[in-house]
Amino acid sequence: MAAEKSSSKGQAWFCTTGLPSDIIVEVDDMTFHLHKFPLMSKSKNLHDLITEQETNAANVVQTVSESSPSDKGKQIAENNDGGDAAAEGGEGEGENQEIQSEMQQEDHCHITLPDFPGGSESFETAAKFCYGVKIDLSATNVAPLRCAGEVLQMTEEFSEDNLISKTERFLSQHVFRNLKDSIKALKSCEGVMPLAETLGIVQRCIDAIASKAALVDPSLFGWPVNDVVTGEIRKKTPSKSKGGGGGSAGGVEPWFEDLYILGLDFFKRLIFTMRDQELNPDIVESCLIHYAKKCFPGITRTNRKSSSSSIASEAEQREVLETIIMNLPFEKSSRTSTTTRFFFGLLRTANILNASEACKAALERKIGAQLEQATLDDLLIPSYSYLNETLYDVDCIQRILAYFLDSYEERAIEAAESAVHVGTLRSPAIMLVGKLMDGYLSEIASDANLKPERFHELAISLPDYARLYDDGLYRAVDVYLKAHPWISEAEREKICGVMDFQKLTLEACTHAAQNERLPLRAVVQVLFFEQLQLRHAIAGTLLAADAAPLESYRPSVQVDDEERGGVGGATPPAAAQDGSTWRAAIRENQVLRLDMDGMRTRVHELERVCSTMKKVIEKMGPESGGGRGGSAGSGGVGWRGRLTKKFGCKFKTQVCDSHEPTVVDARKGRNQGNQHRTSS
């Protein structure tokens, strides 16, 4: 039987065994011309159907034979002439022959199998199995064949080594031992539902995927999400595992990319099973991210390919997106900033698709837990609502920042309870966020629709220890004042109040002292703290100069000792060179001390001038009337013009080019700084 061949002609399928077919089976739009014996020897269901049809056909033949047409001919002969009777008798015999030929044709059984699992393709494979032809089982056809065997009742009780036992053996020994094959088998179950669910194939595939995924090392995942980079990783990384290990690990063939072939229902069940089995959060997160990347190809700014997603309607897209977001692990991601960038892309997509508020809040909380990994480009989320007047969604960033501060405080409390120094544990993260928010404030400050209250609220959201220097914050304030020249003097002072002038570098102080956009009170504070910085710098230089001569005597003593210990009274060349170097250093220190004395005198003069300036400014305060450029009584001349006439000094605008140092240390809070300014 194994040598038998089959052929398809149009919508008909023939088994070319040399014998005429005696049974016709219709499955979908395909007609199979087969033989009874092979089918009845393997399938109990077909055996019963064929037997039933044969029994019905025999009963019909018997009924027809009991009512013979010869009796009908005799009855007609009694009522008609002899010639007519003979003719009618001949017609009766012809009718009998036609009925007998129809009975012979009815010996071909005709069976229809509606809604057959796997369609005509699965039945063709099952028919070949009945004929003894060797069939090729794979991960994609084993589940439909298992369901086909169930429908046809091809059990071991009916025939040994039947189709059900063969498919079950292949599932357990091959499919469920390989992760990728389990995914393919699960995908094939979508076309044979609900029978596949009844037979337990779906749940067994899901359990096999989850158990194999738990054995995979998340550090070997091909990352980042960008397809170009992943392709480079695949070229450079050799394959480390094959066969039963669930596919090759690492960036070679990441198995979680195959999850995209699953429908949303099966994917949700798989994620729920992974979470119930407490798999590594990185594994669950990778599955969700790659599924989202396939469903929404343009979700990242580095991947702007045309969408090939099969999800058509907006409602279906929203359902997929909310499923992905709501199942993200709450734990902080252990990967690089690429993950955070991808989450920001999800947030933009959620705004476009009008996802639920709970969904967006969960994603914002997830981003806030790892905000230090974000970049300025990630934070620039456009405002998609007509109710929001600003260009960028400032409220969203403020909520994300609040989530970050909450998680930071929780980690700080945990670190304190575990007797770990909090400042050295998480200070780099909050310093990075401080620098990031200063850049974000500078970017949104030029928005004409950004109100002073919103800018002030966002600027003071971070604690004082989040910034080592306030140069970045000063830059944002300067941009905001330049873009909003119409705000009142009180609002200007409120905006400038977000800065701590003690934490401005010397370059920033120099720029702020000559910045005409700043209020008068802010300029006075800048000048005062700039003077303090100069005094401290000069005092430190003088102390270093006073300590230098004391240290300079030690090398000379060492030189004398070396001269006494020399052979033949000769001075070693190295010792002579050191002595001349130290003598030159002593002379330079003496010259430096003279210069410092002159500097001290000039500083005292500067202090007297500054004191006089403060008195003059206090007298000019009531006269200015709170105006920016001066009062009407002064003829339009501002306070800077009056200072120029009084002291002969000129203010020139300079460009501040200060950079924040990367050194992280403990600093005092803004409240302590305000107390210090009050006491001064």
Side-chain angles (χ1 to χ4, degrees):
M1 300 295 291
E4 296 174 355
K5 298 181 181 179
S6 60
S7 63
S8 297
K9 297 180 181 180
Q11 297 298 321
W13 190 92
F14 296 84
C15 183
T16 56
T17 61
L19 298 176
S21 61
D22 54 4
I23 183 173
I24 298 175
V25 181
E26 289 187 5
V27 179
D28 295 341
D29 57 347
M30 182 70 74
T31 302
F32 294 88
H33 297 265
L34 305 173
H35 303 86
K36 296 179 181 179
F37 177 74
L39 300 181
M40 297 176 67
S41 63
K42 290 291 185 181
S43 172
K44 184 177 184 301
N45 189 13
L46 292 178
H47 181 276
D48 295 341
L49 292 175
I50 294 172
T51 304
E52 181 181 357
Q53 284 201 7
E54 289 179 346
T55 303
N56 294 336
N59 294 334
V60 171
V61 172
Q62 183 178 0
T63 303
V64 172
S65 61
E66 289 178 356
S67 58
S68 175
S70 59
D71 298 336
K72 184 177 181 181
K74 292 180 180 179
Q75 183 178 0
I76 295 173
E78 293 177 356
N79 299 326
N80 296 292
D81 297 337
D84 294 338
E88 292 295 337
E91 292 178 0
E93 293 177 357
E95 184 178 355
N96 188 18
Q97 293 177 357
E98 291 178 359
I99 294 175
Q100 291 179 357
S101 63
E102 290 179 359
M103 293 299 102
Q104 292 177 357
Q105 291 179 358
E106 288 181 358
D107 290 341
H108 290 77
C109 294
H110 192 282
I111 298 176
T112 302
L113 299 177
D115 300 328
F116 191 80
S120 59
E121 184 177 356
S122 296
F123 182 81
E124 178 182 346
T125 306
K128 290 180 179 179
F129 178 80
C130 293
Y131 278 92
V133 179
K134 182 179 180 181
I135 60 175
D136 295 328
L137 294 178
S138 64
T140 56
N141 67 1
V142 64
L145 285 177
R146 172 65 182 87
C147 295
E150 187 69 22
V151 171
L152 298 176
Q153 299 181 17
M154 302 174 70
T155 61
E156 288 294 308
E157 291 78 6
F158 192 75
S159 177
E160 294 183 358
D161 196 18
N162 215 335
L163 184 60
I164 291 180
S165 61
K166 188 177 183 65
T167 52
E168 284 288 347
R169 187 163 54 250
F170 185 82
L171 283 170
S172 59
Q173 295 181 0
H174 296 86
V175 175
F176 295 151
R177 293 185 179 182
N178 188 285
L179 200 153
K180 286 193 171 186
D181 288 346
S182 299
I183 296 175
K184 294 177 182 178
L186 182 60
K187 172 63 179 178
S188 65
C189 291
E190 295 179 356
V192 290
M193 293 291 287
L195 183 56
E197 183 71 41
T198 305
L199 298 176
I201 303 176
V202 174
Q203 190 59 44
R204 284 186 289 171
C205 289
I206 292 175
D207 294 338
I209 296 172
S211 60
K212 292 298 180 183
L215 304 177
V216 179
D217 186 2
S219 62
L220 299 178
F221 287 172
W223 200 258
V225 178
N226 191 357
D227 291 336
V228 178
V229 181
T230 307
E232 295 177 356
I233 296 175
R234 292 181 179 180
K235 293 178 181 179
K236 297 178 181 179
T237 307
S239 178
K240 295 183 179 180
S241 62
K242 296 181 180 179
S248 57
V252 183
E253 291 182 357
W255 57 269
F256 37 74
E257 290 186 356
D258 297 334
L259 294 176
Y260 171 64
I261 65 176
L262 299 178
L264 182 60
D265 294 336
F266 283 172
F267 181 74
K268 289 169 62 175
R269 291 181 57 178
L270 176 60
I271 295 299
F272 293 157
T273 302
M274 288 182 173
R275 297 182 64 176
D276 292 340
Q277 295 183 6
E278 298 181 354
L279 262 69
N280 191 318
D282 287 342
I283 298 177
V284 180
E285 186 176 281
S286 297
C287 296
L288 293 167
I289 287 178
H290 279 79
Y291 195 83
K293 182 185 69 171
K294 295 296 184 179
C295 293
F296 309 99
I299 203 167
T300 56
R301 297 186 177 184
T302 55
N303 184 7
R304 293 303 188 189
K305 299 179 181 179
S306 60
S307 177
S308 59
S309 175
S310 59
I311 305 175
S313 66
E314 182 177 340
E316 292 177 350
Q317 292 180 350
R318 188 185 304 112
E319 183 182 3
V320 172
L321 184 66
E322 291 181 353
T323 300
I324 293 171
I325 293 176
M326 297 305 293
N327 286 281
L328 285 172
F330 296 109
E331 293 81 359
K332 180 180 177 181
S333 177
S334 60
R335 294 192 181 89
T336 60
S337 59
T338 309
T339 313
T340 306
R341 185 180 304 114
F342 194 86
F343 289 155
F344 273 103
L346 280 179
L347 185 57
R348 293 187 183 92
T349 307
N351 291 332
I352 295 174
L353 296 177
N354 295 322
S356 63
E357 294 299 328
C359 172
K360 290 189 284 189
L363 186 56
E364 290 172 357
R365 187 178 296 106
K366 176 72 175 179
I367 295 174
Q370 52 197 50
L371 184 59
E372 69 275 8
Q373 298 177 357
T375 60
L376 179 58
D377 186 62
D378 298 333
L379 268 61
L380 299 178
I381 302 176
S383 179
Y384 297 99
S385 175
Y386 293 104
L387 301 177
N388 200 345
E389 298 178 353
T390 56
L391 179 62
Y392 297 108
D393 196 345
V394 181
D395 294 336
C396 176
I397 300 302
Q398 192 165 0
R399 291 193 298 268
I400 292 176
L401 181 60
Y403 289 134
F404 168 78
L405 294 176
D406 293 341
S407 63
Y408 178 80
E409 292 178 358
E410 293 176 359
R411 290 185 299 227
I413 294 174
E414 293 176 359
E417 293 176 353
S418 60
V420 180
H421 192 267
V422 179
T424 59
L425 180 64
R426 291 298 181 186
S427 55
I430 198 167
M431 293 291 288
L432 288 173
V433 173
K435 186 176 181 179
L436 179 65
M437 295 308 300
D438 288 346
Y440 180 74
L441 287 169
S442 300
E443 189 70 26
I444 66 173
S446 58
D447 189 354
N449 295 325
L450 184 62
K451 300 189 181 304
E453 296 79 9
R454 302 282 299 280
F455 182 87
H456 179 270
E457 185 178 1
L458 185 60
I460 63 175
S461 298
L462 282 172
D464 293 335
Y465 54 83
R467 298 181 177 95
L468 182 61
Y469 293 100
D470 278 5
D471 288 17
L473 192 57
Y474 165 69
R475 194 177 297 111
V477 170
D478 186 33
V479 173
Y480 187 83
L481 295 179
K482 182 178 180 180
H484 302 76
W486 57 82
I487 62 176
S488 63
E489 188 71 17
E491 290 175 336
R492 290 177 180 273
E493 292 182 356
K494 183 179 180 180
I495 293 297
C496 293
V498 302
M499 295 183 292
D500 186 357
F501 295 102
Q502 296 187 65
K503 295 195 294 185
L504 293 179
T505 60
L506 187 58
E507 293 84 358
C509 286
T510 304
H511 185 275
Q514 304 174 18
N515 192 345
E516 296 182 355
R517 290 184 287 269
L518 295 181
L520 180 59
R521 182 178 300 178
V523 174
V524 173
Q525 293 180 5
V526 169
L527 291 173
F528 176 74
F529 291 115
E530 183 181 13
Q531 180 187 6
L532 289 180
Q533 289 185 10
L534 289 173
R535 291 182 62 182
H536 294 161
I538 293 172
T541 305
L542 293 177
L543 292 176
D546 293 338
L550 298 176
E551 298 291 336
S552 64
Y553 291 107
R554 297 180 181 177
S556 62
V557 175
Q558 183 178 2
V559 170
D560 294 339
D561 294 339
E562 292 178 354
E563 291 177 352
R564 295 192 187 99
V567 179
T571 303
Q577 184 177 0
D578 292 341
S580 61
T581 302
W582 280 103
R583 283 192 294 271
I586 291 173
R587 287 193 298 270
E588 292 177 359
N589 287 335
Q590 291 176 353
V591 174
L592 183 60
R593 290 188 64 185
L594 294 176
D595 293 340
M596 291 299 102
D597 291 338
M599 181 67 71
R600 186 183 294 109
T601 303
R602 289 194 293 272
V603 169
H604 289 319
E605 294 177 358
L606 181 60
E607 290 179 351
R608 289 195 295 270
V609 171
C610 185
S611 177
T612 306
M613 289 175 61
K614 290 173 62 177
K615 294 179 181 179
V616 173
I617 291 173
E618 291 176 357
K619 293 180 181 179
M620 290 191 304
E623 298 176 0
S624 62
R628 286 290 302 154
S631 61
S634 60
V637 180
W639 61 273
R640 300 181 186 276
R642 291 196 293 272
L643 289 180
T644 302
K645 293 180 180 180
K646 181 72 176 177
F647 301 103
C649 58
K650 296 182 179 180
F651 293 92
K652 297 181 180 180
T653 304
Q654 299 180 0
V655 179
C656 177
D657 190 16
S658 59
H659 300 277
E660 296 184 11
T662 57
V663 181
V664 180
D665 59 353
R667 295 173 291 146
K668 297 182 178 180
R670 182 167 297 171
N671 296 332
Q672 296 180 358
N674 294 332
Q675 295 177 1
H676 177 71
R677 290 197 296 272
T678 305
S679 61
S680 301

